[in-house]
Amino acid sequence: MKIKYATIIVEDMDESIKFYTEVMGFEIDTKYDLGPAGQITLLKGEGETMVELIENPTDEPGLFSIGMDVEDLNSTIEELKSKGAKIIMDPIPITVGLLAFIEDPNGARIALIQHN
């Protein structure tokens, strides 16, 4: 597994994009408009890991999760279950592939993503 995203829930997407591009030096990679469910902006810095900003009406602002890229989500989930990992969301289809969540012993969410 490799780290793919640090996901941050934001209150104001435009203000957050301005901060990450003008202050931190990131570049916009991709934007997704989810209609009433919100919006997502992926920002690239150096290296492969991206910052994912999500503005939506349900989640509180702040660090939401760390996203890990996996080759085969279903087999990864089965392996992690066998090792005692706490699965907090089974795999579901998303725009870019499949997504599941596990939780570390401290309650930190880890998103596991299988990209198409």
Side-chain angles (χ1 to χ4, degrees):
M1 280 185 255
K2 66 179 180 178
I3 297 174
K4 183 71 176 175
Y5 307 107
T7 301
I8 301 167
I9 305 298
V10 302
E11 283 187 69
D12 183 321
M13 183 63 78
D14 293 333
E15 177 182 55
S16 297
I17 289 171
K18 184 176 179 179
F19 173 80
Y20 281 96
T21 57
E22 295 180 13
V23 176
M24 301 298 292
F26 285 74
E27 295 180 3
I28 294 172
D29 180 77
T30 313
K31 288 181 153 188
Y32 299 97
D33 183 352
L34 307 175
Q39 55 184 322
I40 298 172
T41 301
L42 297 173
L43 300 154
K44 290 177 74 169
E46 294 180 25
E48 295 181 28
T49 305
M50 291 193 248
V51 172
E52 177 183 40
L53 304 177
I54 298 177
E55 179 183 308
N56 67 34
T58 56
D59 296 308
E60 291 293 318
L63 183 63
F64 184 75
S65 67
I66 300 296
M68 304 280 184
D69 204 11
V70 301
E71 292 293 320
D72 182 335
L73 183 57
N74 290 315
S75 66
T76 300
I77 287 292
E78 289 308 312
E79 179 184 348
L80 293 171
K81 277 183 186 178
S82 75
K83 294 178 178 179
K86 181 178 180 182
I87 312 301
I88 58 174
M89 188 181 86
D90 286 321
I92 61 165
I94 59 171
T95 306
V96 297
L98 293 173
L99 169 70
F101 280 95
I102 65 172
E103 191 173 83
D104 84 354
N106 305 293
R109 288 176 292 237
I110 301 169
L112 302 173
I113 308 144
Q114 176 184 323
H115 287 83
N116 293 333

